[in-house]
């Protein structure tokens, strides 16, 4: 696809094929050198481990074009670190973090003409992923794997601004106690599909999952961490062994404390204290922060003082500061921004 065929300002959050992607194969106990290819197809044996026992993990991050024309990536080392942890949990070979970062940079550079222009609101989404390619019929790990990275230009997650959403407390669990909720495995997202389709059918935008053990603590949604603001301005994020360690959430907490001078708490959050918070948001790569205006708990509504019209004041400051860092308007902490070209 040529960038000339894209209307950057009206780009949706979907897949648009780009020219190059990165591929490396694992066989006989080692990874191949890895290369860029123009072929978007993946050919696999019918008995490949990814089909039989869901050995597949992935990451998601973005490349931005700054005001001075530079192309940068936000904290890819943390994505590489999280992919390593995911691989270890699913008995997959680790793709080294340093090689991961170089592979991400190489595929972004190869698709530089598809990085949307500054000011368009669009970015280049980067999807690294790994899956079992070797044939497996007994329940055991595969011996062969493939690591790939593709990119796609995407528009802003919210068209016309980030209006607060309405979510529901789900009757489903997204992860099991001592399970895989803290890694970015495809099977976790498969677990959330029926729940999100059900929520949409009932008129809600997302789900709030409670802890699977006692259903008394807030966990996350199907694809984002929660962020709360107390009435005295403290930023609070839930802590649990079955929550995915969001890079956006960790970055926002740093911004809150070191840029905005706010008190921060990363701790278990009981559901019964949610009604006392002033602001609520969902944080992740796609939207940075999605403001939440209302939570429906089986017919009982929790309405946040920030309302249903716009982001709460603290949430808005967090959003503007982090996106300012990503776009180069605000000086970034050391090691957060990787320049590609």
């Amino acid at each position: 696809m040529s960038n000339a065929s894209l209307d950057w300002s009206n780009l949706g959050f979907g897949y648009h094929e780009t020219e190059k992607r990165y591929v490396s194969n694992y066989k006989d106990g080692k990874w191949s050198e890895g290369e860029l290819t123009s072929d978007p197809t993946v050919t696999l044996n019918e008995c490949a481990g990814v089909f039989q026992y869901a050995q597949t993990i992935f990451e998601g991050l973005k490349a931005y074009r700054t005001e001075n024309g530079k192309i940068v990536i936000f904290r890819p080392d943390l994505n590489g670190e999280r992919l390593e942890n995911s691989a270890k949990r699913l008995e997959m070979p680790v793709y080294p973090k340093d090689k991961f970062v170089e592979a991400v940079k190489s595929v972004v550079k190869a698709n530089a003409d598809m990085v949307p222009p500054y000011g368009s609101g669009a970015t280049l989404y980067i999807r690294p992923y790994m899956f079992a390619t070797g044939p497996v019929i007994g329940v055991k790990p595969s011996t062969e794997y493939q690591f790939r990275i593709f990119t796609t230009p995407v528009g802003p997650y919210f068209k016309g601004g980030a209006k607060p959403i309405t979510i529901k407390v789900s009757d489903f669990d997204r992860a099991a106690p001592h399970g895989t909720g803290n890694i970015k495995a495809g099977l976790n997202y498969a677990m959330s599909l029926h729940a999100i389709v059900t929520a949409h059918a009932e008129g809600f935008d997302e789900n709030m999952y409670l802890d699977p053990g006692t259903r008394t603590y807030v966990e996350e949604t199907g694809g984002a961490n929660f962020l709360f603001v107390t009435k005295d301005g403290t930023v609070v994020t839930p802590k649990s062994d079955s929550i995915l360690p969001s890079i956006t959430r960790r970055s926002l907490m740093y911004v809150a404390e070191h840029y905005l001078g706010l008190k921060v708490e990363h701790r278990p959050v009981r559901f019964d204290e949610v009604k006392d918070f002033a602001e609520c948001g969902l944080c992740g790569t796609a939207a940075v922060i999605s403001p939440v205006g209302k939570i429906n708990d089986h017919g009982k509504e929790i309405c946040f003082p920030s309302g249903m019209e716009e982001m709460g004041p603290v949430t808005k400051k967090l959003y503007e500061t982090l996106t300012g860092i990503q776009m180069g308007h605000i000086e970034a902490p050391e090691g957060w921004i990787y320049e590609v070209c």
Side-chain angles (χ1 to χ4, degrees):
M1 173 178 286
S2 167
N3 63 6
S5 65
L6 294 173
D7 180 358
W8 298 114
S9 60
N10 290 302
L11 203 61
F13 198 86
Y15 173 71
H16 298 276
E17 185 180 314
T18 55
E19 177 62 25
K20 297 291 186 179
R21 65 272 309 133
Y22 183 89
V23 182
S24 178
N25 290 293
Y26 182 87
K27 188 175 182 179
D28 299 327
K30 61 183 179 180
W31 285 104
S32 66
E33 186 60 31
E35 62 179 358
L36 294 171
T37 176
S38 297
D39 187 359
T41 60
V42 178
T43 302
L44 294 173
N45 185 286
E46 63 185 349
C47 198
V50 64
F51 300 139
Q52 308 309 319
Y53 304 118
Q55 270 191 299
T56 177
I57 56 178
F58 70 99
E59 277 298 322
L61 61 162
K62 290 180 177 180
Y64 310 82
R65 196 178 295 274
T66 63
E67 192 170 8
N68 63 7
K70 298 290 186 181
I71 296 175
V72 300
I73 309 169
F74 184 70
R75 310 191 78 177
D77 56 316
L78 294 189
N79 292 94
E81 183 179 286
R82 193 166 63 182
L83 190 80
E84 286 187 1
N85 292 333
S86 297
K88 290 174 182 176
R89 180 64 177 81
L90 291 193
E91 287 297 326
M92 302 171 75
V94 166
Y95 198 81
K97 182 172 69 174
D98 57 340
K99 289 188 67 175
F100 173 94
V101 171
E102 289 307 310
V104 168
K105 290 170 67 176
S106 70
V107 83
V108 170
K109 188 173 183 178
N111 293 296
D113 63 334
M114 297 298 281
V115 180
Y118 171 80
S120 64
T123 55
L124 187 72
Y125 186 80
I126 308 161
R127 171 52 60 87
Y129 58 115
M130 186 195 301
F131 50 94
T133 56
V136 178
I137 198 66
V139 181
K140 62 181 180 179
S142 174
T143 58
E144 298 177 11
Y145 298 83
Q146 188 168 104
F147 170 71
R148 297 177 70 98
I149 306 173
F150 70 80
T151 61
T152 178
V154 296
Y157 202 75
F158 296 108
K159 291 290 186 182
K163 291 292 185 182
I165 61 176
T166 302
I167 65 177
K168 63 168 289 191
V169 176
S170 181
D171 291 323
F172 297 98
D173 294 327
R174 64 165 287 276
H178 312 295
T180 57
N182 63 343
I183 65 169
K184 207 163 177 68
L187 57 92
N188 293 341
Y189 295 80
M191 289 277 287
S192 73
L193 294 178
H194 178 65
I196 192 61
V197 169
T198 300
H200 288 167
E202 294 173 354
F204 301 103
D205 298 289
E206 253 294 0
N207 287 292
M208 170 183 277
Y209 293 105
L210 303 180
D211 76 283
T214 68
R215 298 190 61 78
T216 56
Y217 290 91
V218 176
E219 292 268 292
E220 59 170 273
T221 69
N225 282 188
F226 276 99
L227 180 149
F228 300 103
V229 181
T230 67
K231 290 174 182 175
D232 66 0
T234 299
V235 178
V236 181
T237 56
K239 182 179 182 180
S240 163
D241 290 340
S242 54
I243 293 177
L244 184 75
S246 164
I247 293 163
T248 303
R249 186 261 299 163
R250 284 180 276 173
S251 301
L252 287 166
M253 295 291 277
Y254 185 94
V255 164
E257 183 175 9
H258 298 280
Y259 280 69
L260 302 180
L262 300 173
K263 182 181 177 182
V264 300
E265 295 178 354
H266 182 51
R267 60 171 176 80
V269 174
R270 292 185 62 88
F271 177 65
D272 60 14
E273 66 179 296
V274 170
K275 65 183 184 304
D276 299 320
F277 290 126
E279 301 175 37
C280 174
L282 312 179
C283 52
T285 300
V288 181
I289 302 179
S290 310
V292 175
K294 189 186 302 181
I295 298 174
N296 185 294
D297 177 22
H298 301 87
K300 180 182 178 182
E301 290 189 339
I302 299 172
C303 300
F304 295 100
S306 52
M308 291 297 296
E309 293 303 313
E310 58 183 20
M311 281 188 177
V314 175
T315 303
K316 187 175 182 180
K317 285 180 183 178
L318 287 168
Y319 174 83
E320 291 176 344
T321 306
L322 186 58
T323 55
I325 290 170
Q326 292 171 335
M327 291 297 177
H329 298 153
I330 299 172
E331 185 175 356
E334 185 176 355
W336 278 28
I337 303 297
Y338 286 62
E339 188 175 306
V340 176
C341 57

